[in-house]
C-alpha cells in the first residue's frame, strides 16, 4: 500500500495529527499546538485501492491537522474554532483495521463518535474531545491499527528492467539484483502482467559431493616429475557448486550485506510491441513492496552469420557474410563489440530499415600484432545484445611484416629531406614478392598542405627466395631461412626519404606510410610525426607625427607560417598637448585573391608622457581603464587563413598610417576608408573586392553605424560585410541593387519545403539549423539574390521582395520555391565545405560573375569539380525538372530520381558531403 509519512500522536489529547506541515494544529486540551513528545512515527495509507483491509472515508482537517472520519453527516468538531472539521485540500485516506493483516501497525486506535476524530484508547487517559472537552467516546468504533512509518530497506537494479526475447522461440531473461538490506527479513518476488508469459525465479548456489581421483594440485611432491604417481590414483571427496533455481514467490531469508539474484524469464513471446509488467519485491514487515517496471521485447532482428571458416592473415582484411531481417516498425542500428585485441571493423554501424532484410558482409581487419589463432566470440548489437553465434574466424601469421625502427617524431625545415628507417621481414612464405611503399600527407582541411613529395630511396623492392630443401617439414613450421637480400634473421632495414616542400607551413604534421606486397594481398600502414620549423616575416615601422606634434614610437607586426601573429608597439608624447591617436597598417599581398591583413591600435597620450607610455602587445594586452580602448585580439580561426597564405604575406607590401587628435569613432571611420582605398579601382565593379582580416581591433567596431542589416554598412563606395573570424568582406556598392531594412529567421514553412530536397528518407536535414538562417530584403544588382556567412556564424540570404512574404516559396520566377532552393544550396555549401578558408570570398565573387558561372554541363564529374554557382544551379534545375541549364519551360519531371543529376542529390546534398 502507498502511504503518507509525517503523522504523530499527541500526548495531550491522544489524537493523531499531521506533524510535517507548517503548523502543528490545535489541541483541545489547552488550545495550544499538539505535542508529539514520545510519539512513534506513523504513516497513513492512501485510499487508492491498495489497502484492502482498511476503511475508506478518512480525511485530514486543514485547521487542527487531525485525522477524522468524513463520511457521516456530522463532520465532527474541530478544536481550532469549535466548528466542523474542514477537509479541503485533504487526500483520501484508508484506516487499516486491527485484524492482523498489518504486521507493522499499532493496535488500540479508535474513532470518537462525538468529534469524529481518531484517538489512542489504550492509555488510562482517554484524551480530550473538542466537542465537550470531556473524554473521547469510542462506543460504536471498530478497532484500528495505525501503521508505523517503516521504510523500505533494499534497492533493486536495474530499474526499470528490460528483457530481450530473441525472435523465434520467444524466450529471454534479465538478471535483477536486490541488495542494501538494513534489517533481516523474508523476501519474496512476484510479477504482475497481462497474460502468463513472465515469471520470476531466484538463482542460488547448490552444493553437491562427488568422489573423484585425486586432483593433480593435491599430489604430494614425490609424485611430480621426475617421479610418478600411483596407478590407479587414489580417490578423494570434493564439493562442487552449481546454480539452482526456485520459484521467486518462495520466501528467502536475507540479512544486511546480502545480495539476492532474481531472473525474469519470458517464454512464448512472438509479438510486437513490448509486453509490460511489474516486478514486486516484498520484505516481511515492509509497508509496501518495491515495484519495478518490466518491459519484455521480442528482439526485432533475426541475424544469420556465414558459418564457413574464414582465415585472415595478420595486418590484412577479410569479409564475413551476414543477413539481418527486421520486424521493427523503426530503423534499427546494428553495431559490434567484443572483437578482441587487434581486430576491428569499419562496416558497422549498419542501418536496417523497418520491416526489411539486409544482406552484406562484415569487413574484418587485423593488425601486425593481432594474436594468431581463433578470434574470440563477438557480439552484434541492436540496442540490446544480440549474440551472433560463434563464427569460425582464425588469424594466421602474416607472410610479411613492416615495422618502424626509427623515432616516431622527426624535426625538419621547409625544403629539407626526412629519412625514416623501416625493417621489412618475411615470415611463413615460399613465394617471391615485390613490396611497394607510398606516403600520404595529412588532410588539407586541417591546415595548409605539408607539401611532401615521395622521393623514396626505396619505392619497390623485389624479394626472391633462395633454393633450399628440407626432407621432412611435418614437425617444423615451414619458415624460410634466407633470401638473396635478407639478413640471417629474414629481415632487411631500408630507409624511406621524404622531401618537405619549400612552402611547407610550420607546425606538427602526421604522415601515413602505406605498403603492399604479394600483389596487394598483404598491406599495412604506419605513421610518423614531422615537426616543421616555423618561418616568420616581421614588418617594422617608426611612429612619427611630423610637424609641430611630438608623437613618436615604433610598431612591429610579425606573421608566422603556423598562422600565429604578434602585433606590438609603443608610443610617447614629448609635447605639451594631449593626443587621441591611432596607428594602422595594411599588408597587401601581390596575389589579389589573398585576404588583406589590417593591423590597428588606438590610444591616448597625455602631455609630456614618458617614452613607451602607451604600449601594446597582442599576447599580453595591458590593463587600460579607458572603456573605449580596443584591446588587440587574434581572430579564433583567422590563423588558418594566415598559415594558408603565409608565402603571399612574406612578400607583401605594407603601408602605415598615423592619426592624432582624433577620437575613437573618427579613427575607426578613417581606418575603414583608408583600407577601402586599396581596393577601389583595382577590381571591376560588381565583384567582391577583397577580404580583410583585422588584428588588434574588433572588426565589428568599424560597422557601428549605417547598417542595412546587422553586420554590414556602406562607406566610400564599398559595401563592408562582417564575416566570421574578425573578417570584413569588401563588395563594390554598385553590385547592390537595393539596400533593405528588414531581416528575420527563415520561415518554418519554407524550411520544411526545402527539406524535400535537403533531407534524407528519414527526414534528417543537411541544412544548417533553421535559427541559423537569416533572410533579408536586400537584393543584388539585376534583382540577383546573394548569400554570405556573417560574424555570428549565421547564414544571411539576401532575397529582396521574396523575403518580405510569409512563406516566400509562393512567389518566385518559374516554379514556386526554386530561388529558395538555389540560395539554400549556398547555405549548405557554407556549412559543409570546410576545405577552403577562402570560401566566403570565392562565394560572393562567384555570385556576381556573369552567367557562365552557372553553367555545369553533363553529369559525370565529382560534385566538388563544379563551381559554387554551378552546384547550386544543378540542385535548382533538378528541383524544377530542367533537363539542362536555361531550359524554359522545364520539360522534365520535378525531382526526378531517374535524372542523371540525381546522383549529386543522394550522394552529396543529402549526405552533407561536399567532396566525393
Amino acid at each position: 500500500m502507498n502511504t503518507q509519512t509525517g503523522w504523530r500522536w499527541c500526548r495531550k489529547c491522544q489524537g493523531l495529527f499531521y506533524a510535517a506541515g507548517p503548523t502543528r494544529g490545535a489541541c483541545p486540551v489547552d488550545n495550544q499546538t499538539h505535542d508529539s513528545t514520545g510519539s512513534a512515527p506513523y504513516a497513513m495509507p492512501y485510499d487508492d485501492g491498495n489497502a484492502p483491509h482498511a476503511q475508506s472515508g478518512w480525511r485530514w482537517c486543514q485547521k487542527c491537522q487531525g485525522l477524522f472520519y468524513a463520511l457521516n453527516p456530522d463532520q465532527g468538531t474541530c478544536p481550532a474554532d469549535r466548528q466542523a472539521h474542514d477537509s479541503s485540500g485533504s487526500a483520501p485516506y484508508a484506516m487499516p483495521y486491527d485484524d492482523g493483516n498489518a504486521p507493522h501497525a499499532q493496535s488500540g486506535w479508535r474513532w470518537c463518535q462525538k468529534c469524529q476524530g481518531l484517538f489512542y484508547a489504550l492509555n488510562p487517559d482517554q484524551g480530550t474531545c473538542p466537542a465537550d472537552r470531556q473524554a473521547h467516546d469510542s462506543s460504536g468504533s471498530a478497532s484500528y491499527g495505525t501503521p508505523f512509518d517503516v521504510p523500505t530497506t533494499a534497492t533493486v537494479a536495474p530499474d526499470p528492467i528490460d528483457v530481450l526475447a530473441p525472435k523465434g522461440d520467444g524466450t529471454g531473461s534479465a538478471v535483477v539484483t536486490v541488495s542494501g538490506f538494513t534489517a533481516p527479513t523474508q523476501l519474496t518476488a512476484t510479477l504482475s502482467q497481462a497474460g502468463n508469459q513472465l515469471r520470476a525465479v531466484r538463482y542460488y548456489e547448490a552444493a553437491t559431493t562427488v568422489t573423484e581421483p585425486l586432483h593433480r594440485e593435491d599430489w604430494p611432491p614425490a609424485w611430480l616429475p621426475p617421479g610418478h604417481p600411483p596407478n590407479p590414483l587414489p580417490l578423494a571427496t570434493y564439493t562442487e557448486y552449481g546454480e539452482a533455481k526456485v520459484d521467486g514467490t518462495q520466501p528467502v531469508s536475507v540479512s544486511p550485506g546480502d545480495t539476492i539474484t532474481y531472473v525474469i524469464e519470458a517464454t512464448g513471446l512472438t509479438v510486437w510491441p513490448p509486453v509490460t509488467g511489474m516486478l514486486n519485491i516484498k520484505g516481511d514487515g515492509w509497508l509496501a513492496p518495491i515495484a519495478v517496471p518490466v518491459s519484455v521485447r521480442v528482439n526485432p532482428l533475426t541475424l544469420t552469420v556465414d558459418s564457413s571458416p574464414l582465415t585472415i592473415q595478420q595486418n590484412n582484411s577479410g569479409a564475413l557474410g551476414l543477413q539481418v531481417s527486421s520486424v521493427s516498425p523503426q530503423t534499427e542500428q546494428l553495431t559490434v563489440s567484443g572483437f578482441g585485441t587487434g581486430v576491428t571493423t569499419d562496416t558497422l554501424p549498419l542501418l536496417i530499415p523497418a520491416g526489411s532484410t539486409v544482406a552484406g558482409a562484415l569487413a574484418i581487419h587485423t593488425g601486425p600484432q593481432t594474436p594468431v589463432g581463433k578470434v574470440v566470440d563477438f557480439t552484434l548489437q541492436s540496442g540490446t545484445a544480440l549474440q551472433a553465434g560463434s563464427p569460425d574466424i582464425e588469424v594466421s601469421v602474416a607472410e610479411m611484416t613492416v615495422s618502424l625502427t626509427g623515432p616516431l617524431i622527426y624535426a625538419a625545415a621547409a625544403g629539407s629531406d626526412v629519412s625514416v628507417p623501416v625493417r621489412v621481414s618475411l615470415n611463413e612464405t615460399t613465394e617471391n614478392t615485390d613490396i611497394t611503399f607510398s606516403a600520404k600527407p595529412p588532410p588539407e582541411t586541417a591546415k595548409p598542405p605539408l607539401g611532401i613529395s615521395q622521393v623514396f630511396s626505396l619505392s619497390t623492392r623485389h624479394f626472391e627466395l633462395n633454393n633450399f630443401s628440407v626432407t621432412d617439414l611435418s614437425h617444423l613450421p615451414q619458415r624460410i631461412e634466407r633470401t638473396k637480400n635478407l639478413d640471417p634473421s629474414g629481415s632487411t632495414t631500408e630507409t624511406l626519404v621524404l622531401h618537405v616542400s619549400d612552402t611547407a607551413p610550420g607546425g606538427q604534421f602526421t604522415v601515413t606510410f602505406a605498403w603492399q606486397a604479394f600483389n596487394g594481398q598483404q598491406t599495412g600502414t604506419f605513421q610518423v610525426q614531422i615537426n616543421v620549423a616555423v618561418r616568420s616575416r616581421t614588418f617594422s615601422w617608426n611612429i612619427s607625427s611630423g610637424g609641430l606634434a611630438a608623437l613618436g614610437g615604433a610598431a612591429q607586426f610579425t606573421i608566422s607560417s603556423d598562422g600565429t601573429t604578434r602585433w606590438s608597439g609603443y608610443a610617447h608624447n614629448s609635447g605639451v598637448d594631449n593626443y587621441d591617436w591611432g596607428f594602422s597598417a595594411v599588408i597587401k599581398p601581390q596575389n589579389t585573391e589573398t585576404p588583406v591583413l589590417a593591423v590597428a591600435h588606438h590610444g591616448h597620450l597625455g602631455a609630456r608622457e614618458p617614452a613607451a607610455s602607451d604600449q601594446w602587445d597582442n599576447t599580453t594586452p595591458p590593463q587600460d581603464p579607458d572603456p573605449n580602448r580596443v584591446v588587440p585580439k587574434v581572430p579564433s580561426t583567422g590563423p588558418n587563413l594566415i598559415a594558408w597564405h603565409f608565402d603571399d604575406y612574406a612578400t607583401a607590401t605594407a603601408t602605415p598610417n598615423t592619426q592624432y587628435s582624433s577620437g575613437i569613432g573618427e579613427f575607426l571611420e578613417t581606418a575603414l576608408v583608408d583600407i577601402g582605398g586599396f581596393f577601389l579601382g583595382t577590381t571591376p565593379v560588381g565583384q567582391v573586392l577583397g577580404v580583410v582580416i583585422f588584428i588588434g581591433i574588433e572588426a565589428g567596431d568599424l560597422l557601428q553605424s549605417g547598417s542595412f542589416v546587422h553586420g554590414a554598412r556602406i562607406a566610400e563606395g564599398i559595401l563592408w560585410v562582417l564575416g566570421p573570424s574578425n573578417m570584413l568582406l569588401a563588395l563594390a556598392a554598385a553590385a547592390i541593387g537595393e539596400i533593405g531594412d528588414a531581416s528575420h529567421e527563415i520561415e518554418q514553412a519554407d524550411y520544411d519545403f526545402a527539406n524535400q530536397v535537403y533531407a534524407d528518407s528519414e527526414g534528417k536535414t543537411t541544412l544548417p539549423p533553421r535559427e541559423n538562417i537569416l533572410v533579408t530584403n536586400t537584393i543584388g544588382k539585376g534583382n540577383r539574390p546573394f548569400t554570405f556567412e556573417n560574424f555570428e556564424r549565421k547564414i544571411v540570404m539576401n532575397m529582396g521582395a521574396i523575403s518580405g512574404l510569409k512563406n516566400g516559396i509562393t512567389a518566385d520566377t518559374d516554379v514556386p520555391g526554386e530561388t529558395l532552393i538555389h540560395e539554400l544550396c549556398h547555405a549548405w555549401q557554407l556549412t559543409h565545405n570546410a576545405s577552403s578558408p577562402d570560401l566566403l570570398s570565392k562565394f560572393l565573387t562567384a555570385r556576381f560573375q556573369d552567367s557562365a558561372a552557372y553553367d555545369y554541363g553533363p553529369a559525370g564529374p565529382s560534385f566538388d569539380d563544379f563551381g559554387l554557382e554551378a552546384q547550386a544551379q544543378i540542385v535548382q534545375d533538378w528541383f524544377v525538372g530542367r533537363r539542362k541549364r536555361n531550359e524554359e519551360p522545364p520539360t522534365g519531371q520535378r525531382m526526378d530520381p531517374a535524372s542523371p543529376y540525381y546522383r549529386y542529390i543522394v550522394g552529396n546534398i543529402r549526405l552533407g558531403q561536399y567532396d566525393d
Side-chain angles (χ1 to χ4, degrees):
M1 55 187 172
N2 299 313
T3 61
Q4 181 189 50
T5 61
W7 292 84
R8 297 293 185 272
W9 160 78
C10 176
R11 61 181 295 271
K12 295 186 293 181
C13 69
Q14 304 297 311
L16 187 71
F17 73 99
Y18 185 65
T23 174
R24 296 180 72 84
C27 177
V29 173
D30 53 10
N31 293 324
Q32 304 298 314
T33 58
H34 290 293
D35 183 357
S36 62
T37 303
S39 174
Y42 299 100
M44 273 304 299
Y46 290 111
D47 187 10
D48 56 4
N50 290 311
H53 297 274
Q55 181 186 46
S56 301
W58 291 83
R59 297 294 186 271
W60 159 79
C61 174
Q62 60 97 8
K63 295 185 294 182
C64 67
Q65 304 297 309
L67 186 74
F68 74 99
Y69 186 67
L71 295 188
N72 285 330
D74 178 9
Q75 294 290 292
T77 303
C78 176
D81 56 7
R82 308 294 295 273
Q83 304 296 316
H85 288 294
D86 182 358
S87 63
S88 57
S90 174
Y93 301 102
M95 190 66 211
Y97 292 112
D98 186 12
D99 56 4
N101 286 296
H104 285 269
Q106 183 183 46
S107 302
W109 290 84
R110 299 294 186 272
W111 160 77
C112 174
Q113 60 95 11
K114 294 186 294 180
C115 67
Q116 305 297 313
L118 185 75
F119 73 99
Y120 185 66
L122 295 188
N123 283 331
D125 178 8
Q126 293 290 291
T128 301
C129 175
D132 54 9
R133 295 190 180 273
Q134 302 299 314
H136 288 295
D137 182 358
S138 62
S139 57
S141 173
S143 297
Y144 301 104
T146 302
F148 291 113
D149 180 9
V150 179
T152 299
T153 55
T155 56
V156 178
D159 182 2
I161 302 166
D162 187 25
V163 184
L164 181 68
K167 184 175 178 295
D169 60 2
T171 61
S173 62
V175 177
V176 181
T177 59
V178 187
S179 60
F181 303 102
T182 57
T185 188
Q186 293 287 311
L187 200 68
T188 58
T190 58
L191 271 163
S192 60
Q193 171 251 335
N196 189 29
Q197 296 168 302
L198 299 181
R199 67 174 181 150
V201 298
R202 179 174 61 83
Y203 274 82
Y204 64 96
E205 204 169 39
T208 59
T209 301
V210 296
T211 301
E212 297 176 340
L214 190 67
H215 294 176
R216 183 182 178 89
E217 59 267 23
D218 298 327
W219 289 2
W223 293 4
L224 299 175
H228 299 280
N231 188 12
L233 286 169
L235 298 179
T237 300
Y238 295 97
T239 301
E240 293 184 349
Y241 296 90
E243 284 190 338
K245 63 181 181 180
V246 296
D247 191 330
T249 60
Q250 297 183 13
V252 56
S253 297
V254 296
S255 299
D258 290 347
T259 296
I260 301 300
T261 299
Y262 289 97
V263 175
I264 309 301
E265 293 185 341
T267 58
L269 292 174
T270 58
V271 297
W272 187 277
V275 173
T276 58
M278 192 73 71
L279 173 66
N280 297 298
I281 303 292
K282 182 71 166 64
D284 180 41
W286 296 359
L287 292 180
I290 304 174
V292 182
V294 179
S295 176
V296 187
R297 299 182 295 113
V298 175
N299 195 314
L301 302 182
T302 301
L303 176 64
T304 304
V305 178
D306 188 355
S307 59
S308 302
L310 176 63
T311 300
I312 307 172
Q313 289 185 338
Q314 291 173 315
N315 210 36
N316 217 317
S317 301
L320 178 68
L322 55 82
Q323 178 175 293
V324 187
S325 299
S326 173
V327 296
S328 172
Q330 62 191 22
T331 297
E332 298 287 341
Q333 179 171 289
L334 198 67
T335 58
V336 68
S337 65
F339 251 149
T341 304
V343 183
T344 60
T345 179
D346 54 15
T347 304
L348 299 177
L350 181 66
L351 297 181
I352 315 297
S356 66
T357 297
V358 174
L362 182 66
I364 300 174
H365 310 291
T366 61
Q369 305 301 321
T370 301
V372 174
K374 293 286 186 181
V375 174
V376 297
D377 291 346
F378 59 90
T379 301
L380 291 170
Q381 297 174 310
S382 176
T384 308
L386 173 67
Q387 186 64 38
S390 301
D392 188 1
I393 304 175
E394 184 171 354
V395 179
S396 63
V397 175
E399 295 174 302
M400 175 174 286
T401 55
V402 177
S403 58
L404 183 66
T405 61
L408 296 176
I409 301 175
Y410 296 84
S416 67
D417 290 342
V418 177
S419 297
V420 180
V422 295
R423 177 169 289 275
V424 181
S425 302
L426 286 177
N427 302 316
E428 296 180 2
T429 182
T430 57
E431 300 179 12
N432 300 333
T433 186
D434 292 337
I435 182 170
T436 302
F437 288 91
S438 61
K440 182 180 180 182
E444 296 185 2
T445 56
K447 58 179 66 176
L450 177 62
I452 63 169
S453 57
Q454 299 172 16
V455 185
F456 291 109
S457 62
L458 170 70
S459 57
T460 300
R461 186 66 175 270
H462 181 69
F463 293 92
E464 183 177 341
L465 304 179
N466 276 343
N467 293 322
F468 67 98
S469 62
V470 178
T471 57
D472 183 8
L473 295 177
S474 61
H475 66 289
L476 294 173
Q478 190 169 340
R479 185 178 300 274
I480 65 168
E481 297 179 359
R482 291 291 302 269
T483 69
K484 290 181 178 179
N485 49 10
L486 295 184
D487 60 27
S489 67
S491 302
T492 183
T493 299
E494 304 292 345
T495 301
L496 309 179
V497 180
L498 292 180
H499 180 74
V500 180
S501 72
D502 296 341
T503 60
Q508 298 178 352
F509 298 87
T510 299
V511 177
T512 301
F513 287 91
W515 61 269
Q516 63 174 357
F518 296 99
N519 296 319
Q521 296 182 13
Q522 288 272 269
T523 60
T525 61
F526 57 91
Q527 293 181 328
V528 298
Q529 178 179 305
I530 299 179
N531 295 340
V532 181
V534 176
R535 295 172 291 141
S536 62
R537 162 78 189 279
T538 298
F539 300 90
S540 300
W541 303 276
N542 289 321
I543 299 174
S544 177
S545 57
L548 298 178
L551 237 59
Q556 281 191 336
F557 177 60
T558 300
I559 182 170
S560 300
S561 60
D562 62 354
T564 59
T565 63
R566 183 176 184 182
W567 166 230
S568 60
Y570 70 91
H572 59 82
N573 177 16
S574 59
V576 295
D577 292 329
N578 297 325
Y579 291 103
D580 285 319
W581 78 286
F583 179 83
S584 62
V586 176
I587 291 86
K588 182 80 180 296
Q590 297 179 6
N591 184 350
T592 58
E593 294 184 357
T594 300
V596 167
L597 297 181
V599 292
H601 173 77
H602 177 270
H604 177 80
L605 287 169
R608 300 192 184 282
E609 292 261 5
S613 59
D614 184 4
Q615 302 180 64
W616 70 94
D617 191 318
N618 70 339
T619 57
T620 54
Q623 298 297 318
D624 194 316
D626 181 1
N628 294 319
R629 181 184 179 91
V630 180
V631 177
K633 178 181 177 182
V634 176
S636 57
T637 57
N640 283 338
L641 279 166
I642 293 170
W644 201 278
H645 297 290
F646 172 78
D647 289 291
D648 287 339
Y649 294 129
T651 59
T653 58
T655 304
N657 179 44
T658 303
Q659 302 172 50
Y660 53 94
S661 296
S662 62
I664 179 66
E666 181 182 347
F667 168 71
L668 295 176
E669 181 75 19
T670 305
L672 191 63
V673 172
D674 286 346
I675 295 169
F678 284 90
F679 295 124
L680 289 176
T682 65
T683 310
V685 172
Q687 296 186 10
V688 171
L689 303 177
V691 176
V692 182
I693 301 175
F694 285 85
I695 296 172
I697 193 169
E698 292 283 359
D701 292 339
L702 301 174
L703 307 181
Q704 291 177 351
S705 62
S707 298
F708 71 95
V709 291
H710 191 38
R713 66 168 294 184
I714 289 180
E716 297 297 326
I718 295 178
L719 169 66
W720 292 95
V721 176
L722 182 57
S725 305
N726 218 35
M727 293 188 301
L728 286 184
L729 290 93
L731 179 69
I736 305 301
E738 182 177 347
I739 295 179
D741 57 3
S743 65
H744 59 81
E745 287 183 4
I746 187 172
E747 297 291 336
Q748 184 67 56
D750 290 353
Y751 193 73
D752 295 341
F753 176 87
N755 276 326
Q756 61 185 317
V757 174
Y758 292 96
D760 60 19
S761 59
E762 296 184 350
K764 182 179 179 181
T765 184
T766 54
L767 288 172
R770 186 178 75 87
E771 61 271 17
N772 287 353
I773 304 176
L774 300 178
V775 183
T776 83
N777 59 347
T778 294
I779 194 71
K781 187 176 181 180
N783 205 34
R784 181 178 292 181
F786 64 100
T787 298
F788 62 86
E789 183 182 26
N790 75 2
F791 63 105
E792 296 175 313
R793 292 284 180 184
K794 293 191 176 184
I795 310 297
V796 180
M797 300 197 311
N798 302 286
M799 303 279 288
I802 295 178
S803 70
L805 300 174
K806 293 292 184 182
N807 304 344
I809 55 177
T810 60
D812 219 321
T813 52
D814 297 321
V815 177
E818 65 173 298
T819 302
L820 178 73
I821 297 297
H822 183 108
E823 292 304 313
L824 282 173
C825 185
H826 295 320
W828 180 94
Q829 291 164 334
L830 287 166
T831 302
H832 297 288
N833 181 9
S835 63
S836 172
D838 298 332
L839 178 65
L840 201 52
S841 58
K842 293 178 181 177
F843 198 82
L844 284 172
T845 301
R847 192 51 165 156
F848 291 101
Q849 289 174 343
D850 57 32
S851 61
Y854 296 77
D855 293 337
Y856 49 81
S862 297
F863 193 58
D864 55 329
D865 287 339
F866 295 101
L868 297 169
E869 285 299 338
Q871 289 176 347
Q873 196 63 44
I874 287 173
V875 176
Q876 176 184 347
D877 287 349
W878 176 81
F879 167 72
V880 302
R882 294 190 184 95
R883 298 180 184 272
K884 59 182 179 179
R885 171 93 172 104
N886 291 328
E887 182 186 53
E888 301 294 349
T891 61
Q893 175 184 337
R894 291 185 58 187
M895 296 185 286
D896 184 4
S899 166
Y901 299 98
Y902 182 60
R903 55 171 288 194
Y904 303 120
I905 304 298
V906 296
N908 297 97
I909 294 297
R910 290 176 179 171
L911 293 180
Q913 183 170 317
Y914 187 87
D915 302 322
D916 288 339

